[in-house]
Amino acid sequence: MPIYEYQCTDCGVFEDTAPMSAFADPCDCPACGQSAPRVMFSVPHISGMASATRRAHETNERSADSPKRSAHGPGCGCCSGGKKLSNKTLHRADGSKSFPTKRPWMISH
């Protein structure tokens, strides 16, 4: 639930949570009970979000339209952290190919 700021004419500025559907509604001051209109003195924030989560959201927003591209192919040892892919195609003398580690029931092309 978002946190909104309100300004009481007698007590000053205070914060309170309210559903988004009630963003324009006034709130009663916790000190004097007088109805106070909503004001915006600071930028909106989401309470309780860890900084690592916030950075992850920001990174996703920046790269939403253009995913990270690597100069190397999949399985590259320097970029993906994994082992480099090895060529496991078996070439026979008659020119046919076989893939011994792949699905043996599939026909090679």
Side-chain angles (χ1 to χ4, degrees), residues 73-87:
C76 171
C78 68
C79 297
S80 64
K83 292 172 33 178
K84 290 188 178 183
L85 296 175
S86 62
N87 188 0

PDB file of all heavy atoms in Angstrom, residues 73-87:
ATOM      1  N   GLY A  73      29.296 -16.632 -28.446  1.00  0.00           N
ATOM      2  CA  GLY A  73      28.124 -17.494 -28.549  1.00  0.00           C
ATOM      3  C   GLY A  73      27.724 -18.111 -27.231  1.00  0.00           C
ATOM      4  O   GLY A  73      28.385 -17.916 -26.202  1.00  0.00           O
ATOM      5  N   PRO A  74      26.634 -18.883 -27.226  1.00  0.00           N
ATOM      6  CA  PRO A  74      26.205 -19.538 -25.987  1.00  0.00           C
ATOM      7  C   PRO A  74      27.239 -20.555 -25.522  1.00  0.00           C
ATOM      8  O   PRO A  74      27.885 -21.207 -26.329  1.00  0.00           O
ATOM      9  CB  PRO A  74      24.889 -20.207 -26.374  1.00  0.00           C
ATOM     10  CG  PRO A  74      24.908 -20.297 -27.851  1.00  0.00           C
ATOM     11  CD  PRO A  74      25.779 -19.195 -28.351  1.00  0.00           C
ATOM     12  N   GLY A  75      27.414 -20.656 -24.238  1.00  0.00           N
ATOM     13  CA  GLY A  75      28.368 -21.601 -23.679  1.00  0.00           C
ATOM     14  C   GLY A  75      29.785 -21.075 -23.626  1.00  0.00           C
ATOM     15  O   GLY A  75      30.716 -21.806 -23.302  1.00  0.00           O
ATOM     16  N   CYS A  76      29.977 -19.805 -23.942  1.00  0.00           N
ATOM     17  CA  CYS A  76      31.305 -19.211 -23.913  1.00  0.00           C
ATOM     18  C   CYS A  76      31.816 -19.214 -22.466  1.00  0.00           C
ATOM     19  O   CYS A  76      31.116 -18.816 -21.555  1.00  0.00           O
ATOM     20  CB  CYS A  76      31.239 -17.792 -24.457  1.00  0.00           C
ATOM     21  SG  CYS A  76      32.753 -16.876 -24.242  1.00  0.00           S
ATOM     22  N   GLY A  77      33.017 -19.656 -22.249  1.00  0.00           N
ATOM     23  CA  GLY A  77      33.564 -19.746 -20.900  1.00  0.00           C
ATOM     24  C   GLY A  77      33.811 -18.407 -20.251  1.00  0.00           C
ATOM     25  O   GLY A  77      33.724 -18.269 -19.043  1.00  0.00           O
ATOM     26  N   CYS A  78      34.095 -17.368 -21.037  1.00  0.00           N
ATOM     27  CA  CYS A  78      34.407 -16.073 -20.435  1.00  0.00           C
ATOM     28  C   CYS A  78      33.160 -15.268 -20.090  1.00  0.00           C
ATOM     29  O   CYS A  78      33.193 -14.428 -19.210  1.00  0.00           O
ATOM     30  CB  CYS A  78      35.323 -15.259 -21.348  1.00  0.00           C
ATOM     31  SG  CYS A  78      34.565 -14.717 -22.867  1.00  0.00           S
ATOM     32  N   CYS A  79      32.039 -15.480 -20.768  1.00  0.00           N
ATOM     33  CA  CYS A  79      30.834 -14.669 -20.524  1.00  0.00           C
ATOM     34  C   CYS A  79      29.794 -15.381 -19.671  1.00  0.00           C
ATOM     35  O   CYS A  79      29.190 -14.791 -18.794  1.00  0.00           O
ATOM     36  CB  CYS A  79      30.182 -14.265 -21.843  1.00  0.00           C
ATOM     37  SG  CYS A  79      31.233 -13.235 -22.858  1.00  0.00           S
ATOM     38  N   SER A  80      29.535 -16.629 -19.966  1.00  0.00           N
ATOM     39  CA  SER A  80      28.441 -17.310 -19.272  1.00  0.00           C
ATOM     40  C   SER A  80      28.893 -18.060 -18.034  1.00  0.00           C
ATOM     41  O   SER A  80      28.072 -18.553 -17.290  1.00  0.00           O
ATOM     42  CB  SER A  80      27.749 -18.281 -20.234  1.00  0.00           C
ATOM     43  OG  SER A  80      28.647 -19.297 -20.626  1.00  0.00           O
ATOM     44  N   GLY A  81      30.171 -18.159 -17.821  1.00  0.00           N
ATOM     45  CA  GLY A  81      30.663 -18.837 -16.645  1.00  0.00           C
ATOM     46  C   GLY A  81      30.648 -20.352 -16.759  1.00  0.00           C
ATOM     47  O   GLY A  81      31.061 -21.057 -15.857  1.00  0.00           O
ATOM     48  N   GLY A  82      30.179 -20.850 -17.854  1.00  0.00           N
ATOM     49  CA  GLY A  82      30.112 -22.298 -18.038  1.00  0.00           C
ATOM     50  C   GLY A  82      31.275 -22.811 -18.864  1.00  0.00           C
ATOM     51  O   GLY A  82      32.178 -22.087 -19.251  1.00  0.00           O
ATOM     52  N   LYS A  83      31.249 -24.100 -19.141  1.00  0.00           N
ATOM     53  CA  LYS A  83      32.281 -24.708 -19.958  1.00  0.00           C
ATOM     54  C   LYS A  83      32.004 -24.404 -21.424  1.00  0.00           C
ATOM     55  O   LYS A  83      30.878 -24.219 -21.831  1.00  0.00           O
ATOM     56  CB  LYS A  83      32.299 -26.224 -19.753  1.00  0.00           C
ATOM     57  CG  LYS A  83      32.750 -26.627 -18.364  1.00  0.00           C
ATOM     58  CD  LYS A  83      32.599 -28.090 -18.072  1.00  0.00           C
ATOM     59  CE  LYS A  83      32.796 -28.997 -19.245  1.00  0.00           C
ATOM     60  NZ  LYS A  83      32.685 -30.402 -18.927  1.00  0.00           N
ATOM     61  N   LYS A  84      33.053 -24.356 -22.218  1.00  0.00           N
ATOM     62  CA  LYS A  84      32.879 -24.155 -23.636  1.00  0.00           C
ATOM     63  C   LYS A  84      32.274 -25.410 -24.244  1.00  0.00           C
ATOM     64  O   LYS A  84      32.576 -26.522 -23.834  1.00  0.00           O
ATOM     65  CB  LYS A  84      34.216 -23.832 -24.309  1.00  0.00           C
ATOM     66  CG  LYS A  84      34.733 -22.467 -23.929  1.00  0.00           C
ATOM     67  CD  LYS A  84      35.928 -22.101 -24.743  1.00  0.00           C
ATOM     68  CE  LYS A  84      36.385 -20.703 -24.364  1.00  0.00           C
ATOM     69  NZ  LYS A  84      37.484 -20.239 -25.140  1.00  0.00           N
ATOM     70  N   LEU A  85      31.406 -25.187 -25.228  1.00  0.00           N
ATOM     71  CA  LEU A  85      30.771 -26.317 -25.888  1.00  0.00           C
ATOM     72  C   LEU A  85      31.793 -27.026 -26.774  1.00  0.00           C
ATOM     73  O   LEU A  85      32.586 -26.404 -27.458  1.00  0.00           O
ATOM     74  CB  LEU A  85      29.595 -25.844 -26.751  1.00  0.00           C
ATOM     75  CG  LEU A  85      28.436 -25.220 -26.002  1.00  0.00           C
ATOM     76  CD1 LEU A  85      27.419 -24.698 -27.004  1.00  0.00           C
ATOM     77  CD2 LEU A  85      27.791 -26.223 -25.093  1.00  0.00           C
ATOM     78  N   SER A  86      31.764 -28.318 -26.748  1.00  0.00           N
ATOM     79  CA  SER A  86      32.668 -29.073 -27.608  1.00  0.00           C
ATOM     80  C   SER A  86      31.868 -29.665 -28.753  1.00  0.00           C
ATOM     81  O   SER A  86      30.675 -29.902 -28.646  1.00  0.00           O
ATOM     82  CB  SER A  86      33.359 -30.187 -26.819  1.00  0.00           C
ATOM     83  OG  SER A  86      32.400 -31.086 -26.341  1.00  0.00           O
ATOM     84  N   ASN A  87      32.535 -29.906 -29.852  1.00  0.00           N
ATOM     85  CA  ASN A  87      31.882 -30.463 -31.018  1.00  0.00           C
ATOM     86  C   ASN A  87      31.808 -31.973 -30.830  1.00  0.00           C
ATOM     87  O   ASN A  87      32.813 -32.660 -30.875  1.00  0.00           O
ATOM     88  CB  ASN A  87      32.674 -30.091 -32.272  1.00  0.00           C
ATOM     89  CG  ASN A  87      31.948 -30.467 -33.528  1.00  0.00           C
ATOM     90  OD1 ASN A  87      30.851 -31.003 -33.480  1.00  0.00           O
ATOM     91  ND2 ASN A  87      32.566 -30.178 -34.654  1.00  0.00           N
TER      92      ASN A  87
END
